[in-house]
Amino acid sequence: MNQVSTPDASADGLVLGLELIDAGMLARVGGKAANLGETTRAGLPVPPGFCLTTEAYRRAVSPAGLEGVHGALAATGDHDLAALATLAARARELILGVDVPPEIAAAVRQSYAALGTDVPVAVRSSATAEDLPLASFAGQQDTYLNVVGADAVLDAVRRCWASLWTDRAVAYRATHGISPSTVALAVVVQRMVDAAVAGVLFTANPVTGRRQEAVIDASPGLGEAVVSGAVNPDHFVVDTATGAITERRPGDKAIAIRPLPGGGTERTVLPPDSGPSLDDAQVRELAALGSTVEQHYGAPQDIEWAIDAADKLWLVQSRPITTLYPLPDPRPDLPEPDGIRVFLCFSLAQGLTRPLTPMGMAGFRLIAGSVARSAGFDVPEPRNGPAPYRQAGQRLFVDLTPVVRSSVGRAIVPRVFDIMEARSAAVLRRLFADPRFTVTTRTPWRVLRHVVPLAAKGRVPESLFRALLRPEAALQRAETFGGRLRASLAVPADATASERLNHAERILGGKLFPIVPAVLPLPALGFASLAVAGKLAGAGTNSGALQAVLRGLPNNVTTEMDLALWHLATAIRAHPGAAAVFEGASPRELARQYRSGGLPAVVQSGLAGFLARYGHRAVAEIDLGMPRWSDDPTHILGVLANYLKLDDPALAPDRQFANAAREAEAQMERLVAVAGSRGGPAGRLRARLVRGALRRTRMFAGLRELPKYHIVEGLAAVRKDLSAVGAELAAAGRIGEADDIFFLDFAEAHRALAGASFREVVAERREAYDAELGRRRIPRVLLSDGTEPEALQAAGTGAAAGVLSGTPASAGTVTARARVILDPQGAALEPGEILVAPSTDPGWTPLFLTAGGLVMEMGGPNSHGAVVAREYGIPAVVGVPDATAIISSGQVITLDGGAGTVVPAGD
């Protein structure tokens, strides 16, 4: 099959030969045609053909009257699938009811004739939103194979146009906010390959993420059998670095799809045990072609291919693999490390699944650099962060390779993650058996050389001794720390933008990390005291008995915040007129009224007081780019509206919290009694020691939230400074709006103050950020070759069929309706519903007050959500894989927080 030149077949470019198309013509030819044109121009073996442009579509359908359908679709919610399907069917009907305009028909006939006389062709849709690096859109429109004759080609083209409005495509666009009036469809017509064997090739492993590993599925006949899933194909895996075929798995290949003379296709039954569809040489040739295509595009590719009867390999189409998680960004300021590396997602460890803004990343680099310098590590450029810092997919990662290859790291770090994020701990432990990560550091001296000076500088031993001997004084010292911190964060009101920017960098680079050694030793001692009390109380004391002591903890700033909001709701309920305001207006409208001072006095003043103390908090609050509650109180007003629905006094959160505290005190007394039950001086001493230990647990464990609370205060002060800088830059026209400052880093912000414009940079970064917001699967651990170790590990959990298994976090059993919430902003949780979330941070916890239970995909038994759930006395299970995808809102589930199981009700 020789390459045929198909020149521009119409005066205004309604039809273009593939060789005239490149990647820059996406809006005109759609994703499939743009990719085929690009590969054709690169000299790759692409069957010849042509493309009807999106302008041809628009001209052809303009008489159809689609404007009414566009408007109706735009006004229809993405969950109303029946209405969307009805409108989609109407659009298809309108398009199929119009004739192909004569000038377009003539151009198609001319281009088709250039391919040969009645040559069989494939007619494929090419949408402007498909086959893109950040879109999972391919396959939503129709393809017609073995089309013969110009009239048949024109009919197939019209049906492709109509397939822009399939039910699936319309629902997808509604879900992703793609305007109906903006989409258009190009159509590719390509000479058919009479394939002896065909299939798909991924130039990176789409399951494990590993780059340099080609995955090939092949079957006799046309590739449609493989693409559509009609057969179990032969499966091959090739290490593209060495050319070795590392896996061969034969498929049954029960059928083949073959072209019929005169047009159309048929399915034929293949004899069993027909042998492999590819020999080793063909497998390697395919892998080599894939590497060439990947190198051309600079990204892993999903390729459809065919081999004809003459053993000629053809590339039918190529698109980016949209499901791969990005590799960690390189660090040009550091030498490239040798060997494969292990990266842990710090974002997930903090309960954050969404991407961070560029300024949020810049802030973390400065904080991490401060930590590293305090520990005696060299950080040549603080704005770049310490050596282990990486980012991938706009999320924070840490290079843990030295930890994995250290005997001390292996002993300590997984135990820390057992508490923070248990699934990450399990992934790390399985990596220890990988021979690529053998231990190379066996002594603790390297660790101690950095930890001991850090502890001494933070006066950690002094804090621990004070907490042991004078616990009240230690608590008072921790409580006064916040006032000193807030005073240090202030900046003069008349400070210039440059001074504010420098002040923000000083806060991040020097004032925030000292919070951790100043406060964290106290809650650490509290939890250690709990463990000591368990040992002293005797072997019969199980973990459940100890965990009960942690309910209703005092001195927890997050609990105090949530209860303060509940008390505001109670005050509003006492004023019927004020409560009625929440019934007739949305949270967004209530926020608008608050900003204008138009809410009832009890709401206006009460909310102002709450925000004065807690307004620095937010959902995803570790990101400088996220608005604080004081910036936008919509979320808090929505939570208040939810609280006002709770009318059962027995379920009132303050009453529940008080009951939990009383039960914890009673449990403490029972443990003291158990410790002293042996009698005699030894028993009395043991009882006194248990009482002292548990008293310190109750006093200090709640302080675990305080370091982050103060750090977020510092981040809010930085955000305030940056917002002022952003306002000045926007006024000067160097960025579009004040919040665009959060899509720059500090170096860029200084350059903008010096006169540089960053409007285009911000627009590109906002687009990339918005695309990353849609990513649901974030790897806990990522290797430098792209492998996601969790994907390699067997999924079996040992749980019974239909039972979801996780980590027990808060004892108790509840059966109720689930509410799946991916983002708490604007979320409605009815009282008693079980909250199912990917993860939580303090911005989520106001929802906990009325929740009947908690299920999280992330976290460990002492992660934030687990601790708060215990304090409120609601059952909780954390670390449940894919809970938000498996469980549906409204579905009744049974949650056993003691066993760590979630059982969805049957259909």
Side-chain angles (χ1 to χ4, degrees):
M1 187 187 297
N2 295 323
Q3 194 67 268
V4 177
S5 177
T6 307
D8 186 339
S10 61
D12 50 3
L14 296 173
V15 178
L16 299 172
L18 291 181
E19 70 280 1
L20 301 177
I21 294 171
D22 59 40
M25 301 167 69
L26 176 68
R28 192 176 175 194
V29 300
K32 187 176 282 89
N35 287 340
L36 285 171
E38 187 72 18
T39 49
T40 298
R41 291 164 70 98
L44 294 165
V46 179
F50 58 91
C51 172
L52 286 82
T53 65
T54 53
E55 177 56 32
Y57 165 83
R58 292 189 178 95
R59 187 177 299 186
V61 304
S62 60
L66 288 174
E67 295 80 8
V69 176
H70 291 168
L73 284 170
T76 302
D78 60 354
H79 295 298
D80 193 348
L81 297 180
L84 291 173
T86 299
L87 291 167
R90 177 59 179 158
R92 296 194 298 272
E93 179 185 5
L94 289 172
I95 292 172
L96 292 173
V98 298
D99 293 327
V100 178
E103 69 276 17
I104 297 176
V108 170
R109 290 179 186 278
Q110 179 185 348
S111 297
Y112 176 65
L115 295 176
T117 303
D118 285 342
V119 64
V121 294
V123 182
R124 306 176 188 271
S125 305
S126 181
T128 53
E130 74 172 341
D131 296 337
L132 304 183
L134 295 173
S136 182
F137 197 79
Q140 293 182 10
Q141 281 80 47
D142 288 346
T143 289
Y144 297 92
L145 301 177
N146 199 40
V147 180
V148 178
D151 290 341
V153 169
L154 288 169
D155 181 65
V157 166
R158 196 160 51 116
R159 293 183 182 279
C160 281
W161 285 337
S163 74
L164 182 61
W165 303 96
T166 61
D167 294 356
R168 179 187 171 206
V170 168
Y172 180 94
R173 292 195 293 266
T175 300
H176 290 79
I178 301 172
S179 171
S181 62
T182 62
V183 294
L185 190 76
V187 179
V188 175
V189 179
Q190 267 185 299
R191 185 184 290 178
M192 277 282 295
V193 177
D194 188 3
V197 60
V200 296
L201 157 66
F202 293 93
T203 66
N205 193 312
V207 176
T208 67
R210 185 183 172 195
R211 276 50 163 191
Q212 293 191 321
E213 188 168 77
V215 178
I216 300 167
D217 286 341
S219 193
L222 300 179
E224 179 67 14
V226 177
V227 174
S228 67
V231 296
N232 292 319
D234 293 335
H235 181 79
F236 304 89
V237 178
V238 182
D239 184 330
T240 54
T242 64
I245 301 172
T246 59
E247 184 179 346
R248 297 178 181 85
R249 189 173 68 237
D252 55 30
K253 305 181 294 295
I255 65 163
I257 299 177
R258 301 195 185 277
L260 286 170
T265 60
E266 67 173 354
R267 294 191 176 201
T268 61
V269 177
L270 297 177
D273 302 324
S274 55
S277 51
L278 296 173
D279 59 34
D280 286 2
Q282 290 172 318
V283 169
R284 291 191 176 94
E285 183 185 8
L286 271 166
L289 174 65
S291 295
T292 301
V293 177
E294 178 180 295
Q295 185 175 8
H296 175 75
Y297 281 106
Q301 297 290 299
D302 168 3
I303 296 169
E304 294 182 29
W305 55 271
I307 299 176
D308 64 20
D311 205 28
K312 168 72 173 176
L313 173 59
W314 293 95
L315 191 158
V316 180
Q317 63 176 298
S318 181
R319 66 175 73 90
I321 304 175
T322 60
T323 56
L324 293 175
Y325 195 82
L327 295 175
D329 295 341
R331 287 281 302 266
D333 59 316
L334 297 175
E336 189 68 27
D338 295 330
I340 195 162
R341 311 297 289 181
V342 180
F343 298 101
L344 180 115
C345 186
F346 186 77
S347 289
L348 282 187
Q350 289 294 305
L352 188 64
T353 57
R354 63 185 295 142
L356 273 76
T357 59
M359 189 60 81
M361 290 284 194
F364 256 97
R365 289 196 292 271
L366 286 171
I367 295 171
S370 170
V371 175
R373 288 196 309 275
S374 297
F377 290 99
D378 183 31
V379 184
E381 173 48 68
R383 286 178 180 170
N384 292 338
Y389 172 90
R390 292 292 189 281
Q391 61 188 63
Q394 299 178 44
R395 291 162 179 90
L396 294 166
F397 282 79
V398 177
D399 186 348
L400 274 194
T401 312
V403 171
V404 172
R405 306 196 73 166
S406 159
S407 56
V408 175
R410 290 187 174 199
I412 296 174
V413 172
R415 294 180 182 177
V416 173
F417 277 96
D418 283 335
I419 296 171
M420 293 175 58
E421 219 294 300
R423 288 170 62 190
S424 294
V427 175
L428 285 173
R429 286 191 173 100
R430 292 190 186 108
L431 276 179
F432 296 164
D434 190 324
R436 294 175 295 178
F437 304 117
T438 54
V439 171
T440 56
T441 303
R442 301 185 181 278
T443 68
W445 302 120
R446 184 177 297 179
V447 175
L448 293 174
R449 190 177 66 202
H450 296 290
V451 171
V452 171
L454 183 63
K457 185 177 180 180
R459 303 170 72 176
V460 171
E462 178 185 336
S463 296
L464 290 172
F465 278 116
R466 185 184 295 109
L468 279 170
L469 303 177
R470 300 174 57 209
E472 289 81 5
L475 182 62
Q476 184 178 7
R477 187 172 184 270
E479 290 173 344
T480 59
F481 181 86
R484 298 195 303 272
L485 172 68
R486 283 185 286 275
S488 72
L489 298 176
V491 64
D494 60 351
T496 66
S498 181
E499 289 170 340
R500 287 182 179 276
L501 198 55
N502 290 331
H503 179 66
E505 289 196 81
R506 283 195 298 273
I507 291 174
L508 295 167
K511 294 184 181 298
L512 296 189
F513 176 64
I515 296 168
V516 177
V519 179
L520 195 59
L522 301 187
L525 177 66
F527 284 105
S529 297
L530 183 66
V532 170
K535 295 286 187 183
L536 291 172
T541 305
N542 58 38
S543 61
L546 294 174
Q547 292 294 327
V549 175
L550 298 175
R551 297 187 61 193
L553 284 173
N555 306 320
N556 185 320
V557 68
T558 301
T559 305
E560 292 167 358
M561 174 188 74
D562 295 341
L563 291 176
L565 193 59
W566 170 255
H567 292 146
L568 174 56
T570 303
I572 294 171
R573 186 182 285 110
H575 293 73
V581 170
F582 286 80
E583 297 174 3
S586 68
R588 191 165 299 281
E589 171 60 21
L590 291 170
R592 188 193 65 76
Q593 293 182 37
Y594 171 74
R595 284 189 285 266
S596 66
L599 291 175
V602 65
V603 183
Q604 192 76 30
S605 62
L607 183 57
F610 177 85
L611 294 176
R613 183 169 183 185
Y614 299 110
H616 62 280
R617 308 223 75 165
V619 174
E621 60 193 2
I622 63 172
D623 184 356
L624 285 168
M626 292 300 292
R628 309 291 116 170
W629 289 340
S630 55
D631 299 327
D632 181 5
T634 302
H635 173 58
I636 292 301
L637 286 160
V639 174
L640 281 171
N642 192 51
Y643 285 179
L644 291 171
K645 296 176 183 178
L646 185 62
D647 52 12
D648 185 349
L651 297 178
D654 51 355
R655 181 176 297 185
Q656 296 267 40
F657 184 78
N659 289 340
R662 282 194 295 271
E663 291 171 7
E665 294 289 345
Q667 178 67 10
M668 189 172 80
E669 293 302 321
R670 284 192 288 272
L671 291 171
V672 170
V674 169
S677 61
R678 298 178 189 178
R684 288 192 294 273
L685 176 60
R686 187 179 292 107
R688 288 183 60 188
L689 291 173
V690 168
R691 185 183 300 279
L694 293 180
R695 177 168 166 260
R696 283 159 179 77
T697 295
R698 295 283 301 166
M699 183 179 293
F700 295 139
L703 293 175
R704 73 177 299 277
E705 297 287 312
L706 195 57
K708 185 175 182 181
Y709 179 87
H710 287 322
I711 288 172
V712 172
E713 281 188 297
L715 294 177
V718 169
R719 179 180 168 84
K720 185 177 180 180
D721 285 337
L722 291 172
S723 295
V725 175
E728 183 168 318
L729 292 176
R734 292 164 199 158
I735 55 178
E737 54 188 72
D739 276 359
D740 285 352
I741 186 75
F742 299 108
F743 287 84
L744 305 177
D745 61 26
F746 281 100
E748 292 165 338
H750 280 289
R751 287 167 52 202
L753 285 175
S757 174
F758 283 90
R759 297 174 74 98
E760 291 186 6
V761 170
V762 168
E764 292 174 2
R765 289 178 181 172
R766 279 190 178 275
E767 184 178 359
Y769 177 83
D770 290 343
E772 274 297 328
L773 281 173
R775 191 185 296 276
R776 291 288 308 279
R777 185 164 172 241
I778 317 299
R780 286 167 169 76
V781 176
L782 183 67
L783 303 188
S784 54
D785 66 355
T787 302
E788 299 178 26
E790 197 170 14
L792 290 172
Q793 294 160 2
T797 62
V803 177
L804 307 181
S805 182
T807 301
S810 179
T813 303
V814 61
T815 299
R817 293 188 182 279
R819 178 68 59 182
V820 178
I821 297 177
L822 303 179
D823 185 341
Q825 299 278 18
L829 181 73
E830 296 295 321
E833 288 184 326
I834 296 173
L835 171 61
V836 182
S839 62
T840 64
D841 64 10
W844 286 74
T845 57
L847 293 172
F848 286 29
L849 286 184
T850 55
L854 171 68
V855 177
M856 292 197 325
E857 293 179 334
M858 319 293 179
N862 279 331
S863 60
H864 169 80
V867 170
V868 176
R870 283 196 298 271
E871 293 183 12
Y872 290 161
I874 61 174
V877 180
V878 300
V880 181
D882 303 319
T884 61
I886 296 170
I887 300 170
S888 302
S889 287
Q891 184 179 19
V892 174
I893 63 175
T894 297
L895 184 162
D896 188 333
T901 58
V902 181
V903 183
D907 295 332

